[in-house]
Amino acid sequence: MDKLRNELQQTAAERETRRHFLHTCSTGLGAMALGSLLGGCGFFRSDNPTKRTTGTALLADEPTAPHPSHRLPSAKRVIYIHMAGSPSQLELFDYKPELVKYNGKDCPQELLEGKKFAFIRGVPKMLGPQGKFAQYGQSGAWVSDYLPHFQKVVDDVAFLKAMHTDQFNHAPAQLLMHTGSARLGRPSIGSWVTYGLGTENDNLPGYIVLASGGKQPDAGKSIWGSGFLPTVYQGVQCRTDGDPVLYASNPAGMDRNIRKQTIDAISQINQQQYDDVKDPEILTRISQYELAFRMQMSVPDAMDIKSEPQYILDSYGVDPNKGSFARNCLLARRLAERGVRFIQLFDWGWDTHGTSADGAIEIGLRDKCKESDQAVAALLNDLKQRGLLDDTLVVWGGEFGRTPMQENRDGQVLPFMGRDHHLDAFTVWMAGGGIKRGFSYGETDDIGYYGVKDKVHIHDLQATILHTLGFDHTKLTYQFQGRPFRLTDVAGKVVTPVLA
């Protein structure tokens, strides 16, 4: 009841504001003037704030109600697996036997001229691949011994081997990867997708985030935030230990019926306020209160993996009593089959500079692969066996690549093997949801330093993800600060060769 009383007090206070006076207590000219001043920032839009522009129609409905995209999609949902810190493509997928010949030699000067690195200074030594590579599957994909389980599912994936980005530091690179901009304030790709498509399950958020590795990504929660979109579209982070969502349970002494009556009363107050000021964030508040109430029943069920048969738990390598990346992969499948539109997995700890054992190519990277390899392969197999892979797009990758030279600091060789951040070449793979299987697109040079064929930029990857969901990425827009914004900014092209 204290919260309800506070809500009433806040509402009363807001009715004393200048905006309320101009809107309801004047001749109307003041409200018109204020609207013209704030219109460029999304306030007092001439259309209903619950409408969205997808380029083909203007749809009025609840903020997260499902509705069609521009064209028939090949994917209904996305599972995006981001390895925060960025795994080395040279140890996993991009086999470079020529690099072995240069191992331990001084880096050629032409590779250093005009280049900026996060940490490398002076002339570093070249570093050959540490994994043992072989070809697997009918596609003959090169994969190292770091990923023995993934070797068995390579015929289900398409590799993008000449990815490149504009940022070589973690936070801005992660922001660019997930929001289309290296600066704070833009909506994440999951927010764009739920804004454009809504959700298929009214009892679960349309966009759910699961994190592992002990830390958040360097860019923080901004990479699943809604930016300038209404906050109803931001990602909801669920915990894998304890209550999945904090404070979703009823307080002591309050049963479900009383909770429902409280929610209804709060919604009525918020609806009255919305009728007065037409602020779209009030609709978000109403929607989130009601969703939180429904989540009390749906989220615990979705997150309860103890109901899974033992052979499924074993296939993922999951301990049902412990949070882990493997557990999150299994949860991703459970959320996908329950209609969650965008499922984002972040796993921290893939930054291998060679400054310590857990950050070393030969130790830490192998350990991270052991923690994740079985679960990723199991996820693909599980989705495939359940008929979900055909309309679920799975994306795996980091925010940039790693250099073919060994990292040094101030000219000093580090105690372990490591590679610095690299923006000119890295690998991302995709599977399911209308993507070719057993396919590789793009090539890097003999040492994996530059993309030399079929290069793919971050915005191209984003355009391709949206395409599988049925969007023309140039038409999924939102009016903000006087112009239409989109995920891919003013760039991006669909990578059509990887489409099935």
Side-chain angles (χ1 to χ4, degrees), residues 42-355:
F43 292 91
F44 300 113
R45 292 167 59 190
S46 59
D47 55 63
N48 187 314
T50 63
K51 297 177 183 178
R52 68 217 65 192
T53 303
T54 60
T56 56
L58 200 60
L59 305 169
D61 49 28
E62 292 298 319
T64 58
H67 51 277
S69 52
H70 302 131
R71 48 173 289 279
L72 188 66
S74 57
K76 292 182 178 179
R77 66 197 70 85
V78 175
I79 299 174
Y80 196 129
I81 305 171
H82 183 97
M83 306 322 227
S86 296
S88 170
Q89 76 282 3
L90 296 169
E91 267 63 53
L92 303 182
F93 310 116
D94 202 10
Y95 180 45
K96 297 298 172 186
E98 283 294 311
L99 190 56
V100 177
K101 300 177 183 179
Y102 295 97
N103 186 60
K105 296 181 180 180
D106 287 347
C107 178
Q109 194 62 36
E110 59 265 27
L111 299 182
L112 304 175
E113 292 177 353
K115 287 291 182 181
K116 291 183 179 180
F117 299 97
F119 295 101
I120 286 177
R121 300 293 183 270
V123 179
K125 302 290 186 182
M126 301 299 289
L127 179 61
Q130 300 303 298
K132 295 180 180 179
F133 281 82
Q135 290 179 285
Y136 296 92
Q138 294 182 354
S139 61
W142 289 97
V143 181
S144 83
D145 61 342
Y146 279 48
L147 300 172
H149 294 275
F150 184 76
Q151 294 167 358
K152 302 173 184 177
V153 296
V154 291
D155 285 339
D156 289 321
V157 310
F159 294 95
L160 302 175
K161 289 195 172 181
M163 288 290 304
H164 63 105
T165 181
D166 306 328
Q167 303 294 325
F168 61 74
N169 285 322
H170 293 294
Q174 290 168 2
L175 284 168
L176 180 61
M177 178 65 78
H178 294 284
T179 74
S181 172
R183 297 181 178 180
L184 294 168
R186 297 288 185 89
S188 60
I189 184 171
S191 295
W192 279 110
V193 169
T194 50
Y195 164 72
L197 287 178
T199 180
E200 295 180 318
N201 188 333
D202 289 339
N203 298 322
L204 288 169
Y207 179 15
I208 289 182
V209 177
L210 302 169
S212 56
K215 293 184 181 180
Q216 301 280 14
D218 294 78
K221 297 182 179 181
S222 315
I223 49 178
W224 61 82
S226 58
F228 48 69
L229 291 178
T231 51
V232 70
Y233 302 114
Q234 71 183 0
V236 175
Q237 185 178 5
C238 289
R239 305 190 310 162
T240 54
D241 286 322
D243 288 340
V245 180
L246 292 175
Y247 312 118
S249 302
N250 287 327
M254 177 179 284
D255 63 25
R256 190 164 175 80
N257 290 331
I258 296 175
R259 178 80 159 196
K260 183 64 170 70
Q261 293 173 14
T262 303
I263 297 297
D264 289 344
I266 293 173
S267 295
Q268 289 176 12
I269 294 169
N270 285 327
Q271 185 63 50
Q272 290 174 5
Q273 186 182 25
Y274 174 73
D275 292 340
D276 286 343
V277 300
K278 304 298 183 185
D279 184 349
E281 284 303 303
I282 300 172
L283 293 180
T284 291
R285 192 186 309 164
I286 295 171
S287 176
Q288 297 296 65
Y289 267 118
E290 294 174 350
L291 175 60
F293 178 74
R294 297 192 299 270
M295 284 169 58
Q296 288 183 320
M297 302 294 289
S298 58
V299 169
D301 173 68
M303 306 293 281
D304 181 17
I305 66 169
K306 292 182 180 179
S307 61
E308 293 284 342
Q310 189 62 45
Y311 77 90
I312 290 292
L313 298 177
D314 292 343
S315 69
Y316 282 84
V318 169
D319 179 348
N321 299 308
K322 183 180 178 182
S324 65
F325 173 80
R327 182 190 181 101
N328 287 352
C329 285
L330 177 52
L331 289 173
R333 187 269 290 165
R334 291 176 61 85
L335 294 171
E337 63 187 353
R338 284 164 171 76
V340 175
R341 185 73 70 183
F342 203 97
I343 304 149
Q344 180 80 65
L345 273 61
F346 289 102
D347 187 54
W348 184 87
W350 293 82
D351 195 19
T352 47
H353 288 282
T355 55

Side-chain angles (χ1 to χ4, degrees), residues 369-391:
C369 288
K370 289 178 182 178
E371 293 175 8
S372 62
D373 177 40
Q374 179 180 345
V376 170
L379 174 61
L380 292 179
N381 284 326
D382 202 3
L383 290 170
K384 188 175 181 180
Q385 291 167 3
R386 295 168 188 270
L388 287 169
L389 189 58
D390 289 339
D391 58 9

